[in-house]
Amino acid sequence: SADTDVLLALIHPDDRRKVFDSILASREGDEVLTQEFRAIKPSGQLMWVQSVARRYRSEDGAILWDGVAVDITDLRQQQALLGHRSH
């Protein structure tokens, strides 16, 4: 879908292959796909996204995804700060 194309275009180049591979792998089963990756906002700012999507087939056999993408940048930054403190 157009939404997916827009989202994939924003994915950080280093994470794009990982996301594509997991999408292709999960097309074979009715599993829920959970993915964390970096995206680049139109402003150029880096953000972390957690995507959770469930795959299903429409009546005509097309593969569709139903899911959400959540900005977890703040969570990631907090985890990084906590990680540095524990060493």
Side-chain angles (χ1 to χ4, degrees), residues 73-84:
T73 306
D74 291 345
L75 180 65
R76 276 291 187 141
Q77 288 172 344
Q78 288 169 5
Q79 287 173 341
L81 287 172
L82 290 171
H84 290 309

Side-chain angles (χ1 to χ4, degrees), residues 39-58:
I40 302 167
K41 294 181 182 179
S43 65
Q45 188 179 359
L46 193 70
M47 64 184 285
W48 278 95
V49 177
Q50 183 181 64
S51 168
V52 181
R54 184 178 59 83
R55 184 186 74 83
Y56 64 96
R57 286 188 186 273
S58 64

